[in-house]
Structure formats: structure tokens, C-alpha cells
């Protein structure tokens, strides 16, 4: 049957957009397969578990960032973004390490104080953005700097070892043969997923972020949701601190920068993998795991350490460029 | 030329000759072996040189290198050991790192992969190759005390005394020497420098310190374990016009030797290490281990004390960094 003339260009465009759509995932999978063939032992259960293990703290803070982006909209400057989460994670880790190791405070009390600090940061961020109307990007960047500063005071900028059995369990323990950290993180992801996608409050939060005006017309208060998104994000920072302590067997200064970089990369890379190019929980989780897989892959392949950063950065730029191109082709 | 200098140079020559003869005489080989080399970062001269020395020697001995870089983040550095474990390398050379690496060393040992450390003594390491940290700590203590006439107030950047054993030795022995100078007072609390962004961080902290201690109330600033913060300290002293305050540090990388060589530099004493030789020696030790030799737990590589401008220029040339005039 001859195709109507008017349909042809459209089908060409959608074919092109389908190819561009699939490109980010194809590139990443292609890279991983290439690494698999060239890196010894990469395609093994041990390495897969290692990838998941190492991505755990990033996955947890990505949950927080995705929720803020969902509530505030995905414009990087004016929308929702929270760069302070890694600083919250680092200060909570610092508080727990300092109190447990250097002052013999019971773990539970140290945890309670860390939680208090995290909630304070979340509330401050939320109020500054929603009540004072400050730009989230700059507000949370400034908070990041301030909180890291306080962390230095708390820990005297020194390394603190932690050998509490609970933290050691998170590091070495296994649940059903899988690393405890990975299992607990998976459970957290499922809880957050349920909360955001299966509860009325979560769906309203997404509606507010999707279209602020439409949400207001239907009686929702965008400020309310964005405020709580910041508080939840700070809570994910608090949760991530346990995995930081476990990973490092204590608190080492200077962890926050890499964590922030990977959190932002993973979350927005995740958007490139989602069909609608929006930040999603699963996208962020996938982004975090893929970034970890890629870094471990390059290291396993023995890529010259002086080049790894450039290769990783370029690859991510290509994926994001394709995502941008795809949106343009569609519109 | 001081007796210490002569001893140090003799030691240097001996170690080079020894290393050379080891290549030729012992027929050491790492052929068919894959050696993981984990370094905490490659931004700083010391780390990079130790890393380059290890990598070049493993390759020269016919081995294959699998290198991982922590980007000056101790947790990333520790995690990198898991990657070496999963890849199943034959041995690991681990350069620097804090307490976070210990469980990783233990896991490697449990998997039958021998660990060789550089500047990180550990119960799980077959051998640790390091500078003579004891000599470094006492020498810099004496030089600093002499430079301020045996009395005065001293501020110290000392973030790692409790976290890294090598820093515990260096800062501890510096204090041990100063205990015999009742006129020298170490300002409390001690300062803690950043690990990743040390020069800029030390610059800011020094400017704060100078505003707290007006002219005539501070005599020296010492960096307890390395030299990167000293770059920022000297910058701050020059900005504030307070170059009467004496600066001392350790490691003696080319950047700080260059600062010492400037006319009227406040940076007066240092102890230079040989990071490339340390990395290379560690790789040689891996080969000796596979050749069935018994290694001592610690291998010490000689250091070169640097007291004043003229010695800075001389050591700079001796270590092959070029010439300073």
C-alpha cells in the first residue's frame, strides 16, 4: 500500500529520533561489552558485585537529588537541584566517626545527632529556596561549602577510624550471599520508588515539578512539596553517611567533591536513558551503576591513569549531547 | 658540604649502584606477572614520581602494569584495591593511603595476593619501602630550632600525625627534638591542612594565623609531614610582608626547592626524598619476592637534608631536576 506523502518525512524523523533515542544506551552497552572483552575478569560475578558495592553511596544521594529535581522541575538553574546532599553525607559521617571513636558516645546517640544535623541542613535549604525564593543551584552550592567547613571543624580535618560492628557489617556483611550494603540500598530504592510513584503525595510532588502552574490551578502548593523534597534529600545524605563510613572504615576528609560530581553526573545521565529525557529514580540508579561500571572497567583494562578522566568525561558528554539532539529532533 | 650531605649522597649512589647491579646480577624478572599499582593521586610531584618509578621498573622487569589512581581521595584509593583484587593481579604495590586501605590489604592477603606498600607500614604488607622518616623528623627539628635561634613561637600544620604512621614518625620526632629547647613553644591548637587542595588551603589558614599573631609574636611555621602546604604558606607570608617568619617542611620536591633557592626566601630548611627511587625500589622488591628472596619488613631509601639556599640549589641539581641560578 503506498504511504501517504505527508507521512514520509515524519516517519523519517521518528526513525532518526528512535536511533538517537537508543544511542546513549547502545553506546554505554557497547563500551561495557568492549571492556568485557578487553579487561581480565570484568565479566565476572565478583566484578558485578564490586560495581554495585562501589556505587552504593552515589545511588543513595542520587535518590535525594532526583526527588528535588522532580519537585522543582529539571531546569538546572531555576528548577530543583540540591548540591548540598554530599556535604550532608560527609558531615553526618564526620559527626558519627568523631563521637563514636573519639568520645566513646554510644552509636545510637551519635546517629541521632547526625540525623538532627541533616534535618537542620534540609530545613535551611528548603526555607531559603521556598520562602526567600533563592536560586537552588547557588543556595545549595553555598550550603555545600558551609557544611564542608563545619565538617572540618567537627573532625579537625583529620582521618577518623571507625570499627563499630554495625559499620563493619555494612562493609563486610552479606544478606543471602549478596553484600549487605547492596541489599539495603536496593530496599531503600524500592521504598523511595513506592513513595514517589505509588502514594498520592509522591504523585502530587511529581505533578508540581512537571508543571508548576497546572499544579497550582488544581490546588497544590508547589512550595510545600519542594520544601519537603529538600528535607528528604538531606535525609538521603544522612543515610549515605553510613555507607561512606563503611566504605572507608571511617571518615576521611575530602570525600565530598567526588561524591558531588558523581551524584550530578549519574542523575542527569540517568535522564538521558529515560524515554522522556527527564530525571527519574530508576534512571539515576542506573546512571550511578553505569558510571561505576565504566570507571571500574577502565581501571581493569589498564587504561593509562592520566587519560581516564578525559575518556570518562568525553563519553558522558557524547551521551548528553545525543540526549539534547534527540529532544531537538522530537520538537 | 656537611657530613650529612656526604652520607646522603654516598647512600644515594650506593642505592643506585645496588639497584643497577640488582637488574643485571640477580636476573630479577617480573615476566608474565601482572602487577597492580595503586596510587592515592597523581596531582602532586611526590605521588606521581613514586608511581612513575614503580610503573617504569615493573615494565623494565618485563611485567605488565595495572594502574589505578585515587585522584587524591583516600576512599577512592582504598576502593581501587577491590578492583585489583577482582582483576586477580599477581601482586599489588600500594602507594600512600590512610586507614581506609587496611581492610583492603587484608582481603588481598586472604586471596593470596602479596601487597607491597610505599610509605604505608601495614601488618598486611610484605614490605614497606619508605624514606628514613626518623632521620627526616629529627633533622628538620634541629634545622628549624637553629633557624630561630633555639627559641620562639612555632605554628605547625599537622593534619596527618594521627592518621598516617609516616607522619606520626616525622612530626613525633620533630617534637622529640624540640623538647630539648624549652624556649620553643608550639602554638595550640595545631593547624590541619587539606589533603587535596593543600597550597591554597594553607595560604588562607596562614593569612588567618598572621592576623591572630601580629608582627614579632610568631617565629616559624612548620609543615609536619610534607611540602605542598609550604607553597601556600610562603605565598601568604609574602602577601602580608611577613617574610621574617621562618618556614620549614619535608619532602623537598622541585617546587619547594625552587622556592628555597630564591633570594631572601623565608623557606629555610627541608629534607628531600627520592620518590622515583622509592617507587622503583618497591617494584624491585616485588621481583625479589617472586625470586624467592626473603625481604625485610621495611626498606629505607636515603634522604637529602637541605639547609638554606645554597643547599637547595645543590640538591635540586643532584636529584636531576635541573639547575637553579
Amino acid at each position: 500500500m503506498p504511504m501517504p506523502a505527508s507521512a514520509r518525512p515524519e516517519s523519517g524523523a521518528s526513525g532518526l529520533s528512535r536511533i538517537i533515542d537508543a544511542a546513549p544506551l547502545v553506546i554505554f552497552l557497547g563500551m561495557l561489552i568492549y571492556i568485557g572483552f578487553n579487561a581480565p575478569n570484568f565479566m565476572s560475578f565478583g566484578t558485578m558485585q564490586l560495581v554495585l558495592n562501589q556505587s552504593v553511596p552515589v545511588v543513595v544521594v542520587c535518590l535525594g537529588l532526583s526527588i528535588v529535581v522532580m519537585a522543582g522541575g529539571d531546569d538546572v538553574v531555576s528548577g530543583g537541584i540540591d548540591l548540598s546532599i554530599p556535604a550532608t553525607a560527609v558531615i553526618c559521617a564526620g559527626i558519627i566517626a568523631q563521637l563514636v571513636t573519639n568520645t566513646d558516645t554510644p552509636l545510637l546517640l551519635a546517629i541521632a545527632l547526625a540525623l538532627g544535623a541533616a534535618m537542620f541542613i534540609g530545613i535551611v535549604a528548603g526555607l531559603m529556596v521556598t520562602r526567600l525564593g533563592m536560586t537552588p543551584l547557588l543556595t545549595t552550592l553555598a550550603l555545600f561549602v558551609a557544611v564542608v567547613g563545619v565538617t572540618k571543624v567537627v573532625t579537625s580535618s583529620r582521618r577518623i577510624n571507625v570499627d563499630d560492628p554495625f559499620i563493619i557489617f555494612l562493609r563486610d556483611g552479606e544478606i543471602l550471599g549478596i553484600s549487605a550494603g547492596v541489599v539495603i540500598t536496593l530496599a531503600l530504592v524500592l521504598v523511595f520508588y513506592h513513595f514517589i510513584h505509588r502514594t498520592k503525595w509522591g504523585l502530587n510532588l511529581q505533578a508540581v515539578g512537571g508543571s508548576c502552574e497546572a499544579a497550582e490551578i488544581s490546588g497544590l502548593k508547589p512550595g510545600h512539596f519542594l520544601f519537603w523534597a529538600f528535607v528528604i534529600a538531606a535525609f538521603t545524605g544522612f543515610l549515605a553517611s553510613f555507607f561512606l563510613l563503611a566504605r572507608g572504615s571511617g571518615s576521611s576528609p575530602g570525600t565530598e567533591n567526588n561524591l558531588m560530581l558523581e551524584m550530578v553526573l549519574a542523575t542527569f545521565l540517568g535522564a538521558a536513558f529515560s524515554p522522556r529525557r527527564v530525571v527519574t529514580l530508576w534512571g539515576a540508579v542506573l546512571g550511578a551503576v553505569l558510571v561505576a561500571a565504566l570507571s571500574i572497567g577502565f581501571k581493569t583494562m589498564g587504561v593509562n591513569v592520566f587519560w581516564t578522566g578525559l575518556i570518562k568525561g568525553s563519553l558522558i558528554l557524547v551521551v548528553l549531547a545525543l540526549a539534547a539532539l534527540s529532544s531537538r529532533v522530537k520538537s | 658540604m656537611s657530613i650529612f650531605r656526604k652520607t646522603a649522597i654516598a647512600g644515594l649512589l650506593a642505592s643506585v649502584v645496588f639497584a643497577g647491579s640488582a637488574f643485571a646480577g640477580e636476573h630479577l624478572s617480573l615476566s608474565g606477572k601482572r602487577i597492580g599499582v595503586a596510587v592515592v593521586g597523581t596531582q602532586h610531584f611526590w605521588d606521581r614520581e613514586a608511581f612513575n618509578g614503580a610503573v617504569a621498573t615493573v615494565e623494565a622487569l618485563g611485567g605488565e602494569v595495572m594502574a589505578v589512581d585515587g585522584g587524591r581521595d583516600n576512599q577512592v584509593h582504598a576502593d581501587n584495591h577491590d578492583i585489583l583484587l577482582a582483576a586477580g593481579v599477581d601482586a599489588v604495590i600500594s602507594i600512600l593511603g590512610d586507614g581506609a586501605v587496611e581492610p583492603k590489604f587484608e582481603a588481598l592477603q586472604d586471596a593470596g595476593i602479596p601487597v607491597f606498600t610505599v610509605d604505608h607500614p601495614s601488618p598486611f604488607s610484605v614490605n614497606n619501602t619508605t624514606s628514613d622518616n626518623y632521620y627526616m623528623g629529627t633533622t628538620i627539628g634541629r634545622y628549624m630550632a637553629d633557624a630561630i635561634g633555639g627559641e620562639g613561637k612555632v605554628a605547625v600544620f599537622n593534619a596527618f600525625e594521627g592518621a598516617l604512621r609516616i607522619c606520626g614518625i616525622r612530626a613525633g620526632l620533630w617534637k622529640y627534638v624540640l623538647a630539648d629547647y624549652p624556649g620553643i613553644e608550639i602554638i595550640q591548637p595545631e593547624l590541619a591542612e587539606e589533603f587535596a587542595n593543600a597550597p591554597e588551603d594553607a595560604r588562607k589558614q596562614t593569612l588567618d594565623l598572621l592576623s591572630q599573631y601580629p608582627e614579632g609574636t610568631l617565629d616559624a611555621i612548620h609543615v609536619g609531614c610534607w611540602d605542598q602546604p609550604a607553597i601556600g604558606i610562603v605565598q601568604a607570608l609574602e602577601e602580608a610582608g611577613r617574610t621574617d617568619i621562618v618556614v620549614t617542611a619535608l619532602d623537598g620536591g622541585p617546587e619547594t626547592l625552587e622556592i628555597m633557592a630564591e633570594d631572601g626566601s623565608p623557606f629555610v630548611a627541608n629534607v628531600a626524598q627520592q620518590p622515583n627511587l622509592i617507587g622503583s625500589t618497591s617494584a624491585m622488591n616485588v621481583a625479589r619476592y617472586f625470586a624467592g628472596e626473603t625481604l625485610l619488613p621495611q626498606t629505607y631509601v636515603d634522604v637529602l637534608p637541605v639547609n638554606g639556599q645554597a643547599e637547595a640549589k645543590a640538591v635540586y641539581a643532584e636529584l636531576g631536576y635541573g639547575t637553579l641560578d
Side-chain angles (χ1 to χ4, degrees):
Chain A
M1 196 171 106
M3 199 179 282
S6 62
R8 270 179 212 139
E10 202 194 337
S11 95
S14 81
L16 179 66
S17 88
R18 216 170 292 151
I19 292 171
I20 298 175
D21 265 0
L25 212 53
V26 169
I27 289 180
F28 254 81
L29 289 178
M31 250 354 265
L32 289 177
I33 291 168
Y34 176 77
I35 291 169
F37 279 112
N38 286 284
N41 289 357
F42 186 72
M43 293 286 190
S44 66
F45 179 71
T47 310
M48 294 304 144
Q49 182 143 17
L50 182 61
V51 167
L52 294 177
N53 263 334
Q54 296 205 353
S55 53
V56 158
V58 183
V59 166
V60 177
V61 290
C62 278
L63 292 176
L65 179 57
S66 336
I67 289 173
V68 174
V69 176
M70 283 179 201
D74 55 7
D75 185 305
V76 172
V77 177
S78 61
I81 191 159
D82 188 350
L83 300 181
S84 69
I85 310 170
T88 307
V90 166
I91 198 171
C92 291
I95 290 173
I96 295 171
Q98 171 70 15
L99 292 179
V100 171
T101 303
N102 293 345
T103 66
D104 286 329
T105 310
L107 182 68
L108 277 178
L109 180 60
I111 291 175
L113 287 169
L115 178 61
M119 290 300 95
F120 178 75
I121 297 164
I123 290 168
V124 168
L127 287 178
M128 282 177 158
V129 171
T130 58
R131 292 293 159 88
L132 299 180
M134 291 164 70
T135 322
L137 182 73
L138 293 178
T139 308
T140 57
L141 182 63
L143 260 178
F144 175 89
V145 175
V147 171
V148 169
V150 178
T151 309
K152 286 180 187 164
V153 175
V154 171
T155 62
S156 313
S157 254
R158 286 175 163 91
R159 152 95 194 161
I160 305 167
N161 287 321
V162 174
D163 53 6
D164 186 274
F166 174 63
I167 300 296
I168 302 296
F169 170 72
L170 285 181
R171 189 187 77 197
D172 296 337
E174 288 188 351
I175 298 173
L176 303 171
I178 302 171
S179 153
V182 173
V183 174
I184 294 170
T185 305
L186 182 66
L188 279 175
V189 173
L190 291 173
V191 168
F192 274 84
Y193 180 81
H194 176 83
F195 183 63
I196 293 298
H197 291 279
R198 295 280 181 270
T199 65
K200 193 176 165 215
W201 196 87
L203 293 171
N204 283 342
L205 176 136
Q206 290 190 65
V208 166
S211 167
C212 192
E213 283 167 14
E216 269 182 332
I217 291 167
S218 54
L220 296 172
K221 287 184 190 149
H224 164 82
F225 290 96
L226 189 55
F227 172 81
W228 284 105
F230 277 110
V231 176
I232 295 168
F235 183 65
T236 62
F238 163 74
L239 294 175
S241 72
F242 294 99
F243 299 111
L244 287 184
L245 286 170
R247 191 176 86 164
S249 316
S251 132
S252 287
T255 317
E256 60 282 349
N257 295 329
N258 200 44
L259 189 59
M260 168 151 82
L261 196 71
E262 295 207 335
M263 170 187 82
V264 173
L265 271 181
T267 307
F268 287 94
L269 192 65
F273 296 130
S274 86
R276 286 170 48 231
R277 303 275 171 257
V278 291
V279 168
T280 60
L281 281 182
W282 285 112
V285 172
L286 182 67
V289 174
L290 284 179
V291 168
L294 218 55
S295 356
I296 290 176
F298 283 135
K299 287 172 182 174
T300 313
M301 258 170 67
V303 172
N304 186 322
V305 292
F306 300 113
W307 286 97
T308 316
L310 177 69
I311 298 171
K312 219 163 98 180
S314 310
L315 196 67
I316 288 163
L317 278 179
V318 168
V319 169
L320 294 177
L322 283 167
L325 199 64
S326 147
S327 312
R328 286 186 65 150
V329 169
K330 275 184 183 161
S331 64
Chain B
M1 182 181 278
S2 72
I3 182 72
F4 292 103
R5 172 69 62 67
K6 280 181 191 157
T7 319
I9 291 174
L12 168 63
L13 287 175
S15 52
V16 169
V17 170
F18 175 65
S21 71
F23 266 101
E26 294 177 37
H27 297 295
L28 288 176
S29 168
L30 286 172
S31 178
K33 302 276 187 210
R34 209 149 56 93
I35 311 298
V37 180
V39 62
V40 74
T42 44
Q43 292 95 323
H44 293 321
F45 176 81
W46 199 102
D47 314 0
R48 195 169 53 240
E49 276 304 289
F51 171 75
N52 285 338
V55 167
T57 306
V58 169
E59 286 173 349
L61 291 170
E64 189 195 334
V65 172
M66 180 173 161
V68 284
D69 174 7
R72 207 101 195 134
D73 180 333
N74 275 303
Q75 290 212 343
V76 174
H77 175 58
D79 283 351
N80 282 343
H81 292 76
D82 287 334
I83 299 174
L84 298 176
L85 174 64
V89 293
D90 295 301
V92 169
I93 297 174
S94 179
I95 302 170
L96 293 163
D98 65 13
V101 293
E102 291 295 334
K104 314 289 182 185
F105 289 168
E106 192 177 0
L108 284 163
Q109 195 191 48
D110 290 348
I113 300 173
V115 178
F116 296 79
T117 51
V118 165
D119 259 13
H120 185 115
S122 161
F124 309 109
S125 139
V126 174
N127 164 272
N128 177 49
T129 302
T130 183
S131 283
D132 185 343
N133 297 300
Y134 314 96
Y135 181 55
M136 288 173 81
T138 51
T139 304
I140 203 67
R142 291 190 303 108
Y143 284 1
M144 194 209 75
D146 288 351
I148 57 173
E151 59 180 9
K153 277 194 170 155
V154 181
V156 60
F157 282 89
N158 196 16
F160 309 112
E161 186 178 3
L164 304 178
R165 177 62 190 146
I166 52 161
C167 297
I169 297 169
R170 294 175 194 173
L173 286 171
W174 173 77
K175 288 177 183 168
Y176 185 79
V177 170
L178 295 191
D180 290 329
Y181 293 85
I184 293 181
E185 181 198 336
I186 302 170
I187 291 171
Q188 300 296 331
E190 294 176 351
L191 302 163
E193 69 272 28
E194 269 182 20
F195 184 55
N197 186 25
E200 179 51 25
D201 168 64
R203 184 186 147 267
K204 285 188 202 140
Q205 293 202 47
T206 304
L207 289 173
D208 293 346
L209 181 78
L210 293 177
S211 57
Q212 268 178 54
Y213 291 88
E215 238 166 306
T217 56
L218 179 65
D219 301 282
I221 303 176
H222 175 63
V223 186
C225 194
W226 56 326
D227 64 354
Q228 294 297 307
I231 298 170
I233 296 171
V234 172
Q235 220 177 333
L237 293 181
E238 284 170 352
E239 277 173 47
R242 300 274 299 272
T243 48
D244 54 307
I245 296 170
V246 158
V247 178
T248 54
L250 293 166
D251 275 6
E255 311 103 309
T256 53
L257 291 177
E258 282 161 23
I259 296 171
M260 285 183 70
E262 286 165 13
D263 287 329
S265 173
F267 198 158
V268 298
N270 207 330
V271 180
Q273 300 193 62
Q274 305 183 65
N276 195 294
L277 184 61
I278 292 176
S280 166
T281 306
S282 181
M284 298 290 295
N285 283 343
V286 177
R288 291 190 184 105
Y289 172 85
F290 283 123
E293 286 183 35
T294 308
L295 293 168
L296 290 170
Q298 306 265 353
T299 302
Y300 296 104
V301 174
D302 289 310
V303 293
L304 284 78
V306 191
N307 198 2
Q309 186 189 33
E311 292 195 7
K313 288 181 182 173
V315 169
Y316 193 84
E318 278 161 33
L319 291 178
Y321 300 150
T323 49
L324 292 172
D325 289 309

